[in-house]
Amino acid sequence: MSSIASSSSAAGGYRQGVRAAVAVAATVWFFGASFGLVARAAGMGVAAPLVLSATTFAGSAQFALTSILAGSGSAVAAIAAAVLLNARYAPISISVAPLFHGPRLRRLAESQLIVDESWALSSRGDGRFDRRLLIGAGLLLYAAWLSGTAVGVFAGKALGDPKALGLDGAFPALFLALLVPQLRSRKATLAALLGGAIALVLTPLTPPGVPIVAASAACLLGLRRDEEAA
Amino acid sequence: MSTVWLVVLVVGVATVALKATGPVLLGDRTLPEPVARVVSLLAPVLLAALVVTQTVGGDNELVLDARLAGVGAGAAAIAARAPLPAVVVVAAAATALVRLVA
């Protein structure tokens, strides 16, 4: 089986990406189920959590707005927190923009399959992305998130707690595994370290969501022309 | 309209727009060279930020918990050149184990 660090062949990387997408989809399904359960318990009813999962398709923002509504916070507070958390999708979607072709409406529809995990899995490690993996993993994760939400809304209590299964520790490890092959040049490594440092410093100081958006400023290192990818 | 539906609809529309930013506004247009160099660093930078926030992120605070063990075990699996699905499983197992014991 090919390793992550040496999966330079596109086909090997693609196959591994598909396998990884299945493992990640199982994890995402459990989180969707726990979202459905939490949202129902928070008094959001049946339809609203499903519509939210279908349109927003971003776990952290959905959990955040649910907890604010459950704590009888205002609509403005819930909206602000969720939009802030999803603001990272502006830079994320810009990074994969070249993969989208055709009429605007089609690009709009396909872009909704962008989610942290499908984006990360489709990364080829040289700053470029694989369209088939992004769309394929996106469809699989969308189905997992929506069906998980449905099961959670109707029968969530019968399922285990994703935290007891350690699933919240799986996501950062996945992102780390996908980060490592990106660090091919000194500049990319430097930018990643700077971005991570910005996120770490801002985490205790700002609302969730802000650290990731602020970290993207580290990309400006790319304006320096000195060294190309090794 | 109820508060719940107002929030669901506004957040839904805002997120659809955010995810469409790049694909709809830029599409397959070729970016100017300096901009392309900046954009090519988005992947490592955002992935690093995601690793940090998903490991120690909390609600306006740093939270050090079992997720650290998961990322540590995941890092060891990565160093041992384990395939991606194995990294995910090892990290989840380590997180669950530490949470069970602690």
Side-chain angles (χ1 to χ4, degrees):
Chain A
M1 207 174 276
S2 66
S3 75
I4 296 154
S6 66
S7 64
S8 49
S9 82
Y14 180 73
R15 273 198 301 277
Q16 200 185 18
V18 172
R19 275 200 296 268
V22 173
V24 174
T27 308
V28 164
W29 188 88
F30 266 98
F31 267 94
S34 68
F35 166 72
L37 173 64
V38 168
R40 183 91 190 257
M44 286 178 69
V46 168
L50 287 168
V51 171
L52 188 62
S53 281
T55 56
T56 296
F57 184 32
S60 54
Q62 294 182 220
F63 275 107
L65 78 82
T66 303
S67 70
I68 291 171
L69 288 177
S72 55
S74 69
V76 173
I79 291 168
V83 172
L84 217 48
L85 272 166
N86 283 343
R88 69 181 181 283
Y89 282 115
I92 282 177
S93 77
I94 288 171
S95 74
V96 291
L99 303 185
F100 294 84
H101 313 280
R104 244 160 226 255
L105 208 59
R106 182 177 157 194
R107 283 183 269 153
L108 173 69
E110 288 181 348
S111 70
Q112 299 312 306
L113 296 174
I114 301 171
V115 66
D116 293 335
E117 294 81 8
S118 67
W119 169 78
L121 285 169
S122 70
S123 155
R124 296 201 310 201
D126 53 2
R128 288 193 289 178
F129 294 84
D130 186 301
R131 181 183 150 82
R132 285 187 303 166
L133 261 182
L134 181 71
I135 302 290
L139 281 170
L140 186 65
L141 294 172
Y142 188 83
W145 183 245
L146 201 55
S147 64
T149 303
V151 168
V153 164
F154 291 112
K157 287 198 176 115
L159 297 161
D161 176 6
K163 284 201 163 179
L165 298 171
L167 298 183
D168 56 334
F171 288 114
L174 168 73
F175 295 133
L176 180 64
L178 295 163
L179 168 64
V180 170
Q182 301 276 344
L183 308 177
R184 287 181 180 174
S185 69
R186 224 163 61 93
K187 192 189 268 180
T189 307
L190 211 60
L193 284 172
L194 183 59
I198 293 172
L200 186 62
V201 168
L202 290 183
T203 293
L205 302 177
T206 62
V210 174
I212 298 177
V213 177
S216 54
C219 294
L220 295 176
L221 283 178
L223 290 174
R224 289 176 50 185
R225 184 184 280 278
D226 50 25
E227 168 217 21
E228 290 308 309
Chain B
M1 196 183 338
S2 74
T3 306
V4 166
W5 277 107
L6 176 72
V7 171
V8 165
L9 294 179
V10 173
V11 170
V13 169
T15 307
V16 166
L18 283 163
K19 289 185 176 182
T21 308
V24 169
L25 295 184
L26 301 173
D28 48 6
R29 177 181 314 174
T30 314
L31 296 170
E33 228 269 308
V35 180
R37 286 205 307 269
V38 170
V39 168
S40 75
L41 288 179
L42 275 170
V45 164
L46 290 169
L47 281 168
L50 278 168
V51 170
V52 169
T53 56
Q54 300 257 329
T55 305
V56 297
D59 191 8
N60 257 326
E61 56 179 348
L62 287 176
V63 178
L64 305 179
D65 61 15
R67 293 175 296 177
L68 276 173
V71 175
I78 294 165
R81 311 203 150 221
L84 203 42
V87 172
V88 172
V89 171
V90 165
T95 308
L97 196 65
V98 168
R99 196 162 278 150
L100 191 67
V101 175

